[in-house]
Tab-separated table of all heavy atoms in Angstrom:
chain	number	residue	atom	x	y	z
P	1	ALA	N	111.923	87.729	89.870
P	1	ALA	CA	112.700	88.932	90.200
P	1	ALA	C	111.748	90.132	90.210
P	1	ALA	O	110.953	90.306	89.288
P	1	ALA	CB	113.821	89.140	89.186
P	2	MET	N	111.831	90.976	91.264
P	2	MET	CA	110.938	92.124	91.419
P	2	MET	C	111.761	93.370	91.734
P	2	MET	O	112.800	93.280	92.398
P	2	MET	CB	109.919	91.865	92.541
P	2	MET	CG	109.087	90.618	92.353
P	2	MET	SD	107.985	90.294	93.752
P	2	MET	CE	106.960	91.767	93.711
P	3	GLN	N	111.269	94.507	91.248
P	3	GLN	CA	111.953	95.758	91.530
P	3	GLN	C	111.012	96.921	91.218
P	3	GLN	O	110.204	96.854	90.289
P	3	GLN	CB	113.231	95.883	90.692
P	3	GLN	CG	114.125	97.046	91.109
P	3	GLN	CD	115.463	97.011	90.413
P	3	GLN	OE1	115.766	96.073	89.692
P	3	GLN	NE2	116.273	98.027	90.623
P	4	THR	N	111.133	97.978	92.021
P	4	THR	CA	110.385	99.216	91.771
P	4	THR	C	111.318	100.211	91.105
P	4	THR	O	112.443	100.438	91.573
P	4	THR	CB	109.840	99.795	93.081
P	4	THR	OG1	108.970	98.830	93.692
P	4	THR	CG2	109.061	101.074	92.820
P	5	PHE	N	110.824	100.793	90.020
P	5	PHE	CA	111.682	101.684	89.231
P	5	PHE	C	110.952	103.005	88.996
P	5	PHE	O	109.858	103.024	88.417
P	5	PHE	CB	112.023	101.032	87.889
P	5	PHE	CG	112.973	101.845	87.056
P	5	PHE	CD1	114.312	101.944	87.386
P	5	PHE	CD2	112.516	102.525	85.934
P	5	PHE	CE1	115.187	102.694	86.620
P	5	PHE	CE2	113.380	103.277	85.153
P	5	PHE	CZ	114.723	103.362	85.503
P	6	PRO	N	111.534	104.147	89.473
P	6	PRO	CA	110.907	105.455	89.220
P	6	PRO	C	111.373	106.028	87.881
P	6	PRO	O	112.532	105.871	87.489
P	6	PRO	CB	111.414	106.298	90.388
P	6	PRO	CG	112.743	105.698	90.725
P	6	PRO	CD	112.656	104.242	90.407
P	7	VAL	N	110.467	106.655	87.172
P	7	VAL	CA	110.776	107.300	85.897
P	7	VAL	C	110.601	108.797	86.072
P	7	VAL	O	109.508	109.275	86.399
P	7	VAL	CB	109.866	106.766	84.768
P	7	VAL	CG1	110.157	107.492	83.468
P	7	VAL	CG2	110.063	105.270	84.598
P	8	GLU	N	111.690	109.547	85.845
P	8	GLU	CA	111.672	110.998	86.004
P	8	GLU	C	111.331	111.648	84.659
P	8	GLU	O	112.097	111.580	83.704
P	8	GLU	CB	113.039	111.493	86.497
P	8	GLU	CG	113.425	111.001	87.878
P	8	GLU	CD	112.586	111.646	88.967
P	8	GLU	OE1	111.897	112.650	88.665
P	8	GLU	OE2	112.618	111.151	90.110
P	9	GLU	N	110.161	112.256	84.593
P	9	GLU	CA	109.763	112.995	83.389
P	9	GLU	C	109.193	114.334	83.855
P	9	GLU	O	109.695	114.905	84.825
P	9	GLU	CB	108.763	112.160	82.584
P	9	GLU	CG	109.386	110.879	82.018
P	9	GLU	CD	108.369	110.006	81.311
P	9	GLU	OE1	107.172	110.316	81.390
P	9	GLU	OE2	108.782	109.006	80.689
P	10	ALA	N	108.194	114.848	83.156
P	10	ALA	CA	107.569	116.091	83.624
P	10	ALA	C	107.042	115.903	85.038
P	10	ALA	O	107.070	116.815	85.853
P	10	ALA	CB	106.438	116.496	82.671
P	11	GLN	N	106.585	114.701	85.325
P	11	GLN	CA	106.250	114.310	86.690
P	11	GLN	C	106.785	112.907	86.928
P	11	GLN	O	107.079	112.172	85.990
P	11	GLN	CB	104.731	114.353	86.907
P	11	GLN	CG	103.941	113.488	85.941
P	11	GLN	CD	102.457	113.584	86.202
P	11	GLN	OE1	102.020	114.077	87.234
P	11	GLN	NE2	101.668	113.119	85.253
P	12	ARG	N	106.933	112.541	88.147
P	12	ARG	CA	107.541	111.255	88.480
P	12	ARG	C	106.501	110.148	88.389
P	12	ARG	O	105.381	110.279	88.884
P	12	ARG	CB	108.141	111.313	89.881
P	12	ARG	CG	108.656	109.963	90.367
P	12	ARG	CD	109.411	110.074	91.665
P	12	ARG	NE	110.721	110.686	91.463
P	12	ARG	CZ	111.690	110.681	92.380
P	12	ARG	NH1	111.476	110.113	93.563
P	12	ARG	NH2	112.844	111.247	92.139
P	13	PHE	N	106.934	109.021	87.725
P	13	PHE	CA	106.109	107.822	87.630
P	13	PHE	C	106.833	106.687	88.349
P	13	PHE	O	108.063	106.585	88.302
P	13	PHE	CB	105.854	107.433	86.171
P	13	PHE	CG	105.034	108.435	85.410
P	13	PHE	CD1	105.654	109.477	84.709
P	13	PHE	CD2	103.661	108.347	85.388
P	13	PHE	CE1	104.905	110.388	84.007
P	13	PHE	CE2	102.898	109.263	84.680
P	13	PHE	CZ	103.528	110.298	83.992
P	14	TYR	N	106.037	105.795	88.965
P	14	TYR	CA	106.588	104.651	89.676
P	14	TYR	C	106.047	103.364	89.041
P	14	TYR	O	104.828	103.247	88.831
P	14	TYR	CB	106.216	104.689	91.168
P	14	TYR	CG	106.813	105.858	91.910
P	14	TYR	CD1	106.129	107.066	92.011
P	14	TYR	CD2	108.066	105.756	92.518
P	14	TYR	CE1	106.666	108.138	92.691
P	14	TYR	CE2	108.608	106.831	93.209
P	14	TYR	CZ	107.908	108.024	93.287
P	14	TYR	OH	108.454	109.094	93.961
P	15	PHE	N	106.959	102.440	88.731
P	15	PHE	CA	106.572	101.168	88.123
P	15	PHE	C	107.137	100.015	88.957
P	15	PHE	O	108.313	100.013	89.317
P	15	PHE	CB	107.104	101.044	86.684
P	15	PHE	CG	106.491	102.038	85.737
P	15	PHE	CD1	107.143	103.235	85.445
P	15	PHE	CD2	105.266	101.774	85.138
P	15	PHE	CE1	106.583	104.134	84.569
P	15	PHE	CE2	104.707	102.684	84.256
P	15	PHE	CZ	105.361	103.867	83.973
P	16	ASP	N	106.260	99.059	89.277
P	16	ASP	CA	106.694	97.797	89.882
P	16	ASP	C	106.918	96.797	88.759
P	16	ASP	O	105.994	96.490	87.986
P	16	ASP	CB	105.635	97.268	90.861
P	16	ASP	CG	105.690	98.001	92.182
P	16	ASP	OD1	106.607	98.822	92.361
P	16	ASP	OD2	104.801	97.763	93.025
P	17	LEU	N	108.137	96.280	88.642
P	17	LEU	CA	108.500	95.339	87.576
P	17	LEU	C	108.657	93.948	88.169
P	17	LEU	O	109.346	93.756	89.177
P	17	LEU	CB	109.821	95.768	86.914
P	17	LEU	CG	109.895	97.235	86.455
P	17	LEU	CD1	111.258	97.530	85.859
P	17	LEU	CD2	108.786	97.536	85.468
P	18	ILE	N	108.009	92.973	87.536
P	18	ILE	CA	108.052	91.573	88.001
P	18	ILE	C	108.386	90.693	86.807
P	18	ILE	O	107.663	90.702	85.802
P	18	ILE	CB	106.707	91.138	88.618
P	18	ILE	CG1	106.295	92.081	89.747
P	18	ILE	CG2	106.793	89.700	89.125
P	18	ILE	CD1	104.896	91.832	90.270
P	19	ALA	N	109.481	89.932	86.890
P	19	ALA	CA	109.880	88.981	85.853
P	19	ALA	C	109.788	87.575	86.432
P	19	ALA	O	110.468	87.265	87.418
P	19	ALA	CB	111.294	89.258	85.348
P	20	ALA	N	108.920	86.735	85.851
P	20	ALA	CA	108.690	85.380	86.360
P	20	ALA	C	109.008	84.360	85.270
P	20	ALA	O	108.411	84.408	84.193
P	20	ALA	CB	107.238	85.229	86.820
P	21	PRO	N	109.959	83.441	85.526
P	21	PRO	CA	110.258	82.393	84.530
P	21	PRO	C	109.139	81.364	84.469
P	21	PRO	O	108.519	81.030	85.484
P	21	PRO	CB	111.555	81.772	85.042
P	21	PRO	CG	111.561	82.053	86.513
P	21	PRO	CD	110.836	83.361	86.696
P	22	LEU	N	108.860	80.865	83.265
P	22	LEU	CA	107.842	79.839	83.073
P	22	LEU	C	108.429	78.462	83.339
P	22	LEU	O	109.644	78.282	83.399
P	22	LEU	CB	107.291	79.902	81.642
P	22	LEU	CG	106.625	81.227	81.250
P	22	LEU	CD1	106.193	81.186	79.796
P	22	LEU	CD2	105.425	81.519	82.140
P	23	LYS	N	107.545	77.474	83.475
P	23	LYS	CA	107.985	76.108	83.731
P	23	LYS	C	108.684	75.535	82.496
P	23	LYS	O	108.425	75.949	81.367
P	23	LYS	CB	106.798	75.216	84.110
P	23	LYS	CG	106.162	75.595	85.448
P	23	LYS	CD	105.035	74.647	85.787
P	23	LYS	CE	104.421	74.997	87.148
P	23	LYS	NZ	103.293	74.088	87.482
P	24	LYS	N	109.557	74.565	82.741
P	24	LYS	CA	110.283	73.839	81.692
P	24	LYS	C	111.141	74.775	80.852
P	24	LYS	O	111.424	74.480	79.696
P	24	LYS	CB	109.314	73.067	80.803
P	24	LYS	CG	108.502	72.011	81.547
P	24	LYS	CD	107.577	71.263	80.613
P	24	LYS	CE	106.773	70.211	81.378
P	24	LYS	NZ	105.853	69.468	80.491
P	25	HIS	N	111.500	75.930	81.434
P	25	HIS	CA	112.400	76.873	80.762
P	25	HIS	C	111.875	77.238	79.363
P	25	HIS	O	112.618	77.252	78.379
P	25	HIS	CB	113.804	76.284	80.650
P	25	HIS	CG	114.403	75.916	81.973
P	25	HIS	ND1	114.900	76.856	82.850
P	25	HIS	CD2	114.547	74.708	82.574
P	25	HIS	CE1	115.357	76.237	83.931
P	25	HIS	NE2	115.147	74.941	83.793
């Protein structure tokens, strides 16, 4: 699962988030 998430603070930050399941759960 992938998604880009902006964080609004004193200046804007952009984070690419990637969640990858491992083998055999």
Side-chain angles (χ1 to χ4, degrees):
M2 303 176 62
Q3 190 171 355
T4 300
F5 184 73
V7 177
E8 296 289 346
E9 294 176 352
Q11 57 180 346
R12 173 172 287 193
F13 295 91
Y14 295 90
F15 294 96
D16 282 354
L17 309 178
I18 304 172
L22 300 177
K23 294 182 178 179
K24 299 181 180 180
H25 302 284

